[in-house]
Amino acid sequence: DLYDMFMQAGSAGELGRRRGLDQLGFWNKLVEHPAYDAFWRDQAVDKLLAKQPLKTPVMLVHSLWDQEDIYGAPAVYRAIKPLDTKNDKVFLVMGPWHHGQMIGNGSSLGAVKFGSDTALYFRQKILAPFLAQYLKDGAPKANIAPVTAFETGTNEWRRYSAWPPKEGDKTVKATPLYLRAGLKLSDEAPKPGDTAFEEYISDPAKPVPFCRRPIKAMGYDEGNNWPRWLVDDQREASGRPDVVTFISDTLTAPMKISGEPIANLVASTSGTDADWEIGRASCRERV
């Protein structure tokens, strides 16, 4: 169980020493630069690409449940899309996959089934025409939207002119959700006199695991939950005293969520350091 391994080490530095990682130059750079300082900012790929002229058509392929790099493709898209003045060189595809699943079978992820092999559809209907247009003489122009996104629930591919979707594609509006008194999640803003905060006790010596234990090493072998943990049933964690869960009323109509969530969290701690995680959006605060 990797949880036990990390707990027994006590710190990332001690784990590195136990495993001989301090013999690696890159590990030592991680230790020397634990925060996102100039060392990392100056070599961020999305920032470097944004400084270069856009000469080559680019297709960015993003997995909606990428357990290894859920940041990369959307970040590069935001960085280089402003260079695409005619909206014909930067293409974004978002599919219902784990990391790298677009080259395998995309019919399901964990217990979630999509009604078709979404990865095969991507390779045949989106990727192949794109590559043919730019790599094969005489190939027809690919009929590919600037953004192609798979919509779970309806299990259909959607075509957009940009991401997040613009008003011309669909009726899109930012909709705030509030953490309310009584551990309620609501689209109604708090009222005067409502409880101002929720409070809990967190023990750093007993951190919340990111998935159900035992936690195996990263791998894609049969039975390893690493590829699918983002869609696993995570209600087990809500029973811990150091996890606060806000629940909405039962939905009475279909709800569609598109775009990028933004979390505004106001928090305080009696300790010197704390991590807060909202769903899968992690927040770190030092006080």
Side-chain angles (χ1 to χ4, degrees):
D1 187 348
L2 290 182
Y3 186 92
D4 287 335
M5 183 188 73
F6 283 108
M7 291 300 296
Q8 290 164 6
S11 69
E14 176 61 21
L15 179 66
R17 286 187 287 272
R18 291 186 180 189
R19 299 281 168 165
L21 297 177
D22 52 358
Q23 301 175 52
L24 302 177
F26 180 65
W27 174 262
N28 292 325
K29 291 296 184 183
L30 291 173
V31 174
E32 293 168 10
H33 302 276
Y36 191 61
D37 58 14
F39 176 80
W40 300 113
R41 290 194 298 270
D42 291 346
Q43 57 183 310
V45 174
D46 53 335
K47 305 300 188 298
L48 294 176
L49 290 175
K51 298 176 181 178
Q52 304 297 321
L54 183 64
K55 299 179 180 179
T56 305
V58 177
M59 176 171 285
L60 300 164
V61 184
H62 177 57
S63 299
L64 293 173
W65 286 286
D66 194 316
Q67 79 287 7
E68 297 183 25
D69 180 18
I70 207 165
Y71 173 84
V76 173
Y77 175 81
R78 288 193 299 270
I80 67 175
K81 190 60 181 179
L83 305 175
D84 185 14
T85 56
K86 296 183 179 180
N87 204 25
D88 62 354
K89 274 193 170 61
V90 177
F91 300 86
L92 176 64
V93 180
M94 297 185 289
W97 311 308
H98 62 63
H99 186 81
Q101 191 177 0
M102 70 288 293
I103 65 173
N105 187 305
S107 302
S108 62
L109 180 55
V112 185
K113 303 185 186 305
F114 305 118
S116 64
D117 189 341
T118 61
L120 181 63
Y121 179 92
F122 158 72
R123 296 193 301 269
Q124 291 182 339
K125 305 297 184 180
I126 302 174
L127 180 61
F130 173 80
L131 295 177
Q133 175 181 345
Y134 295 107
L135 299 179
K136 291 184 178 181
D137 293 336
K141 184 179 185 300
N143 181 24
I144 300 173
V147 176
T148 308
F150 188 83
E151 183 179 274
T152 57
T154 60
N155 289 343
E156 295 181 356
W157 288 96
R158 303 296 187 189
R159 295 166 59 94
Y160 299 108
S161 62
W163 191 262
K166 292 184 176 181
E167 295 289 345
D169 296 315
K170 295 279 185 179
T171 301
V172 178
K173 64 176 181 178
T175 303
L177 290 173
Y178 300 94
L179 306 180
R180 297 284 303 274
L183 300 178
K184 283 287 188 179
L185 182 69
S186 174
D187 57 2
E188 296 182 4
K191 301 176 181 178
D194 281 357
T195 303
F197 61 90
E198 296 290 343
E199 143 179 86
Y200 61 94
I201 298 175
S202 178
D203 183 357
K206 297 179 180 179
V208 182
F210 71 90
C211 68
R212 182 177 299 176
R213 297 176 59 190
I215 301 173
K216 299 181 180 180
M218 293 170 54
Y220 290 80
D221 52 300
E222 186 68 27
N224 195 315
N225 70 335
W226 172 248
R228 69 171 191 275
W229 71 267
L230 282 175
V231 297
D232 278 352
D233 188 339
Q234 298 177 4
R235 286 175 294 181
E236 179 181 341
S238 67
R240 291 180 54 121
D242 53 357
V243 173
V244 180
T245 303
F246 294 84
I247 302 176
S248 72
D249 292 332
T250 301
L251 298 179
T252 58
M255 175 182 288
K256 179 177 178 179
I257 301 175
S258 299
E260 299 168 299
I262 299 173
N264 294 313
L265 177 67
V266 178
S268 63
T269 176
S270 59
T272 59
D273 183 83
D275 292 321
W276 287 281
E277 186 176 283
I278 306 174
R280 295 263 63 90
S282 183
C283 304
R284 185 167 182 83
E285 176 72 16
R286 287 189 178 274
V287 296

